């Protein structure tokens, strides 16, 4: 039962991250840039690369929880050379120090979100 709760928690954290940070903030920003610059603008390639990395890391993080769905999505990735199975991919290395957000950055992000709500 502990494993189920942990899996639910990881899944929920991933969804929350995608909804509140990636979709609400970055995707909206990226969409504006892509609309202004078009498909081949100088910032467009960087944005597409970042979006591909976000998709890749998100899929890796939920693969242990929903393996069949993750594998089906993984088979359709076209931005990188894929392996036979998503579980053959390497997990990204994370520096534990990087996990602790800096207070000033967190405050700036909260201010941005508050401003966004007012607009």
């Amino acid at each position: 039962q502990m494993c189920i709760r942990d899996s639910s928690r990881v899944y929920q954290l991933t969804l929350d991250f995608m909804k509140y940070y990636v979709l609400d903030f970055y995707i909206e920003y990226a969409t504006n840039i892509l609309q202004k610059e078009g498909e081949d603008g100088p910032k467009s390639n960087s944005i597409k690369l970042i979006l591909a990395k976000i998709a890749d890391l998100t899929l890796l993080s939920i693969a242990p929880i929903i393996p069949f769905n993750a594998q089906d999505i993984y088979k359709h990735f076209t931005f990188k050379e894929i392996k036979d199975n998503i579980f053959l991919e390497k997990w990204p290395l994370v520096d534990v120090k990087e996990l602790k957000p800096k207070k000033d950055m967190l405050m700036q992000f909260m201010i941005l979100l508050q401003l966004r709500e007012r607009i």
Side-chain angles (χ1 to χ4, degrees):
Q1 197 175 32
M2 181 61 140
C3 184
I4 292 171
R5 271 192 250 138
D6 290 346
S7 296
S8 292
R9 182 80 175 128
V10 168
Y11 184 70
Q12 190 59 52
L13 287 170
T14 303
L15 288 179
D16 288 349
F17 172 76
M18 290 303 295
K19 180 176 185 230
Y20 297 114
Y21 297 103
V22 176
L23 295 176
D24 282 355
F25 187 74
Y26 191 77
I27 299 288
E28 196 168 304
Y29 171 77
T31 302
N32 290 334
I33 296 294
L34 290 172
Q35 286 175 347
K36 286 179 188 173
E37 291 192 3
E39 288 285 317
D40 299 321
K43 291 182 183 176
S44 298
N45 289 332
S46 296
I47 287 175
K48 287 188 262 183
L49 182 66
I50 291 169
L51 291 174
K53 189 69 173 172
I54 289 169
D56 189 31
L57 292 174
T58 302
L59 195 60
L60 279 173
S61 68
I62 62 172
I65 301 164
I66 51 173
F68 298 110
N69 301 73
Q71 180 62 30
D72 285 343
I73 295 168
Y74 179 76
K75 289 188 296 191
H76 296 284
F77 276 8
T78 58
F79 58 86
K80 70 176 202 171
E81 189 174 322
I82 62 171
K83 298 179 177 9
D84 291 335
N85 191 308
I86 191 170
F87 293 102
L88 298 175
E89 289 284 347
K90 291 184 180 180
W91 280 79
L93 297 175
V94 177
D95 184 0
V96 177
K97 295 173 195 166
E98 299 282 327
L99 294 177
K100 296 179 183 175
K102 296 178 180 161
K103 257 187 179 177
D104 57 330
M105 288 177 66
L106 188 58
M107 287 302 294
Q108 289 175 358
F109 186 71
M110 294 306 291
I111 290 168
L112 282 173
L113 289 178
Q114 290 172 356
L115 288 172
R116 185 175 177 272
E117 290 298 318
R118 291 182 192 171
I119 295 176

